[in-house]
Amino acid sequence: MGKIKMTHLELEISNACNEDCIHCYRHSLNRKRGCLSPSQVQSLLEQAKLLGAGKVTITGGEALLNPYWHEIIEISNDLNLKISLLTNGTLLGENDIEFLTNITQLQKVQISLYSIEKTVHDSITRRKGSYEATLNAINLLQKRKLPFSVVCPIMKENVNTIIDTLSWCEKNYINIYIFMDV
């Protein structure tokens, strides 16, 4: 049997989320909410590096609900792992953006945007105001020239706004990743 080689680790550092998206499996789960600690992450990432991993995606639920997410990003950076951060963006503030500008291994931040139409986006997240908070994060990332992209699953609730969302991203020079959510 050949040697196992790991190239990438997707690490869910929080299983809680501040949105309740209609397409997400989390709302149907009845489990205790929790977060990984920095020491747990350190151990996992060191083991992944030993297996050959060079990249880590930090995700959740909502990764930014983990109170140690800055420290976890720093641990990943110190281990010289290429970092992607997957978030809904609603909790990203100016201090967080400033923090991320100093992370040398940051490859990209991926922001979930379900529609460029406010009512459609908020109806999918089931959180009034999530659209404005997400757009605020996108604006902050653009302003600081941090690498980011928008992630948008196509579903029946937003299918009629996909072209407008694509056009908005193109007009604003934003990379967008669209996929079918089935």
Side-chain angles (χ1 to χ4, degrees):
M1 180 176 266
K3 186 177 178 183
I4 296 174
K5 179 158 169 71
M6 176 185 282
T7 59
H8 180 238
L9 179 66
E10 189 163 312
L11 196 56
E12 183 178 291
I13 65 169
S14 168
N15 67 0
C17 190
N18 60 331
E19 294 183 332
D20 188 24
C21 297
I22 59 175
H23 62 285
C24 186
Y25 66 91
R26 292 184 184 289
H27 69 274
S28 66
L29 297 177
N30 185 14
R31 65 178 174 174
K32 185 178 177 183
R33 293 182 174 210
C35 296
L36 291 177
S37 70
S39 62
Q40 289 171 316
V41 170
Q42 179 89 36
S43 176
L44 288 167
L45 293 178
E46 286 173 353
Q47 291 174 61
K49 286 257 322 178
L50 288 174
L51 292 171
K55 293 175 65 177
V56 62
T57 297
I58 305 294
T59 186
E62 174 50 51
L64 278 58
L65 285 174
N66 184 317
Y68 305 108
W69 78 268
H70 280 211
E71 190 174 341
I72 289 168
I73 295 282
E74 287 174 334
I75 290 167
S76 304
N77 196 61
D78 291 346
L79 288 169
N80 210 30
L81 291 165
K82 295 185 184 331
I83 303 164
S84 291
L85 174 62
L86 182 53
T87 176
N88 60 38
T90 60
L91 302 174
L92 272 176
E94 293 204 27
N95 290 339
D96 300 316
I97 300 297
E98 180 65 32
F99 164 77
L100 290 171
T101 62
N102 296 310
I103 302 301
T104 57
Q105 293 300 315
L106 182 68
Q107 297 295 294
K108 68 180 163 186
V109 178
Q110 295 174 297
I111 302 281
S112 301
L113 177 67
Y114 301 106
S115 176
I116 198 58
E117 290 187 25
K118 174 183 170 178
T119 55
V120 174
H121 179 90
D122 284 1
S123 71
I124 291 171
T125 65
R126 296 193 266 206
R127 292 292 185 263
K128 188 175 181 175
S130 65
Y131 174 80
E132 286 92 355
T134 300
L135 280 191
N136 182 60
I138 289 169
N139 290 331
L140 289 171
L141 288 162
Q142 272 192 314
K143 185 171 142 184
R144 292 305 301 266
K145 296 183 173 48
L146 282 170
F148 78 97
S149 61
V150 163
V151 178
C152 182
I154 299 174
M155 56 191 102
K156 66 181 179 181
E157 293 80 5
N158 71 352
V159 70
N160 294 328
T161 67
I162 290 298
I163 297 299
D164 290 340
T165 304
L166 278 167
S167 296
W168 180 84
C169 286
E170 182 179 31
K171 183 176 116 192
N172 289 284
Y173 305 100
I174 297 170
N175 290 326
I176 183 168
Y177 174 70
I178 293 181
F179 60 96
M180 295 294 290
D181 189 41
V182 290

